[in-house]
Amino acid sequence: MAEKKAASGNKNKNLLLYVAAIGALLMILVYVFVFQKLTTEAEAIETSNKSLSQRVNQLKGYYDNRENNLSGIQMTEQLIDELLAVYPADARDEDAIMLAVQMQQGNDGEFLSINVERGDAIHVVSAETVSAAASEKYTQEIQYRELYATYVNEVGYPGLKSMIQTIYDSNNRIGIQNIAFTKGDTENPKLSGHIDLVFYSVTGTGKEYVAPDIVPYIAGTDNIFGEIVIPEESADNNSVETENTEGGEIAPAE
């Protein structure tokens, strides 16, 4: 009888151990799959809340300073407009040729050759950057471009100064890279050399290219630049003509 009671007690004890082990296992499973998951989600929510809080504070700062920000945006857009306004929409061969026409007017310069070469873009503002600015005026990729031109010529010293002044007075955006001339001799006293220029332009600003008005020429002519008007020099005092006020013939003054 005592043995049966002992066996029954051991059985009940083992059952309790099994129940306790299963309970512990369930608690571990709850911790791993439920509590730990909830903890991770809570940490993610807390991190998100911190990020959102920072964003809210940032937006609040923008809102509180909206007047200054709008004023700054308008000023920046105005500066961009002023910066781009001085650049033409493009620079082409005809612009380089027309500058030669202008440089030759009014002096003894003679061009031997004109070499023109288009360069690569020296700076690019991508379409993504332009789009991010949300500007109503600028919506395309903006490129700063170069056009190289070399003028080989013969000219007197006053004529060379006149050519350089013409370059400075040009409506195009031009940079002088190099000026190299050598002195002539008694047979040809003119200076001989070349002027290296760079024509700058900006594409993507909404401007349209305007070609220069070049006078058409007849095939076979020896003056492809058309008629060049040279200001008349003042007459010598000994050749001054006077007009008869009574309607008579014009006679040279004595």
Side-chain angles (χ1 to χ4, degrees):
M1 188 71 177
E3 291 179 357
K4 288 182 179 181
K5 289 182 179 181
S8 177
N10 291 333
K11 185 176 180 180
N12 292 334
K13 185 177 181 180
N14 291 334
L15 182 60
L16 290 174
L17 291 174
Y18 291 148
V19 171
I22 292 173
L25 180 61
L26 289 175
M27 291 180 63
I28 294 174
L29 292 176
V30 168
Y31 173 78
V32 172
F33 293 105
V34 178
F35 180 76
Q36 191 173 11
K37 181 180 179 181
L38 291 175
T39 302
T40 303
E41 290 179 353
E43 291 175 352
I45 292 173
E46 183 179 0
T47 302
S48 177
N49 287 339
K50 288 181 179 180
S51 177
L52 291 174
S53 178
Q54 292 175 355
R55 180 59 177 168
V56 168
N57 292 333
Q58 185 181 32
L59 293 175
K60 184 179 183 299
Y62 290 151
Y63 180 80
D64 293 340
N65 295 281
R66 61 189 181 280
E67 297 297 335
N68 292 333
N69 292 336
L70 290 173
S71 177
I73 291 173
Q74 292 175 355
M75 183 178 298
T76 302
E77 290 180 344
Q78 183 178 353
L79 292 174
I80 293 174
D81 291 341
E82 293 176 356
L83 174 65
L84 296 178
V86 298
Y87 291 94
D90 197 3
R92 303 179 183 178
D93 295 0
E94 47 264 49
D95 297 294
I97 294 174
M98 192 60 194
L99 180 63
V101 176
Q102 297 167 346
M103 286 194 294
Q104 192 174 359
Q105 290 180 346
N107 60 57
D108 59 348
E110 180 182 357
F111 287 93
L112 305 179
S113 67
I114 302 174
N115 302 313
V116 181
E117 179 183 358
R118 181 172 291 277
D120 297 329
I122 59 176
H123 183 69
V124 177
V125 182
S126 67
E128 290 78 7
T129 301
V130 175
S131 177
S135 172
E136 295 181 359
K137 187 172 182 179
Y138 306 108
T139 58
Q140 308 174 38
E141 179 181 82
I142 298 176
Q143 292 188 0
Y144 290 78
R145 305 195 65 87
E146 294 177 321
L147 181 76
Y148 303 100
T150 298
Y151 301 87
V152 181
N153 60 350
E154 293 182 349
V155 65
Y157 180 66
L160 178 59
K161 292 195 297 182
S162 174
M163 287 183 177
I164 296 174
Q165 187 62 50
T166 301
I167 296 171
Y168 281 119
D169 294 340
S170 175
N171 292 328
N172 289 303
R173 194 71 171 176
I174 303 174
I176 299 177
Q177 277 194 321
N178 187 34
I179 298 177
F181 281 84
T182 57
K183 185 179 180 181
D185 51 29
T186 55
E187 295 183 0
N188 184 11
K190 290 184 177 181
L191 302 173
S192 299
H194 59 89
I195 302 175
D196 301 329
L197 303 179
V198 182
F199 289 73
Y200 296 100
S201 61
V202 178
T203 62
T205 62
K207 290 183 181 179
E208 293 185 2
Y209 172 73
V210 179
D213 186 12
I214 299 179
V215 179
Y217 66 90
I218 302 173
T221 182
D222 58 355
N223 182 10
I224 64 173
F225 299 137
E227 181 181 357
I228 298 177
V229 179
I230 300 177
E232 296 181 358
E233 297 181 356
S234 59
D236 187 82
N237 291 334
N238 294 329
S239 62
V240 175
E241 297 181 349
T242 59
E243 182 179 358
N244 190 324
T245 57
E246 297 179 358
E249 296 181 355
I250 298 174
E254 295 182 356

